[in-house]
Amino acid sequence: MPESAEEVWARIVGAKRLAFDGQCPECARVVPERIVWEDEYWILSYTDGPADMAAALLLQTRDHTRVGQLDDELASQFGRISNRLVRIIENLPEAAYVDVSRYGAHRGHFHVWYFAPHADGVTTPADLRTIATKLANWGGDARA
Ligand SMILES: [Zn+2]
């Protein structure tokens, strides 16, 4: 059963964020151990989302830039990566679907959330290695 917009919002806002020290959170909080996939321009990492999530992932630019300020090449890359990522996750048995969300725009750094609630009857997390490996079929490096 699809979640209401309020439930999705609460899930996004309630997702745990690592502490940072006065810096751009996305620049400051890239923890190598949390990187699922990366290439020259993008970093996909996982977060400690709500327990009922199959996956809570964050795609961000490697360099500090803003939504609306990507050049055409970077914007095109974002569209392709995002489309592939949603397709990969939604084909996993653990995930019901993927919500894609921009949240925290006031901080500036280009970052987009991918939240995948569990499929009915499933409580195990999505296999990050599978996500990383499939995404790397188009380039970049699987890290999970
Ligand atoms: Zn930044």
Side-chain angles (χ1 to χ4, degrees):
M1 177 164 209
E3 293 177 293
S4 70
E6 290 76 15
E7 289 169 323
V8 171
W9 178 255
R11 187 183 305 283
I12 292 169
V13 172
K16 290 181 185 172
R17 312 294 301 270
L18 296 176
F20 60 97
D21 187 21
Q23 303 177 50
C24 165
E26 278 62 47
C27 285
R29 288 178 317 157
V30 177
V31 179
E33 295 77 30
R34 290 181 174 262
I35 295 175
V36 175
W37 170 92
E38 64 183 329
D39 71 4
E40 184 178 354
Y41 304 101
W42 299 94
I43 299 170
L44 179 70
S45 57
Y46 72 91
T47 68
D48 296 322
D52 58 340
M53 279 288 167
L57 301 172
L58 183 69
L59 180 66
Q60 66 183 76
T61 50
R62 186 172 293 280
D63 293 334
H64 189 86
T65 188
R66 301 179 64 89
V67 173
Q69 301 300 317
L70 301 181
D71 62 29
D72 285 351
E73 175 55 30
L74 214 50
S76 295
Q77 290 177 13
F78 169 69
R80 292 192 296 270
I81 294 167
S82 187
N83 191 55
R84 292 166 185 158
L85 184 57
V86 169
R87 186 171 62 238
I88 290 167
I89 297 171
E90 289 187 342
N91 276 300
L92 296 175
E94 297 89 1
Y97 56 89
V98 179
D99 285 314
V100 181
S101 176
R102 174 193 184 203
Y103 172 77
H106 59 287
R107 293 197 305 269
H109 197 121
F110 186 101
H111 65 290
V112 175
W113 294 96
Y114 298 82
F115 290 103
H118 279 122
D120 284 343
V122 177
T123 58
T124 53
D127 181 6
L128 297 178
R129 179 71 191 164
T130 298
I131 294 170
T133 302
K134 288 181 181 275
L135 200 53
N137 284 335
W138 289 278
D141 297 304
R143 300 292 186 209

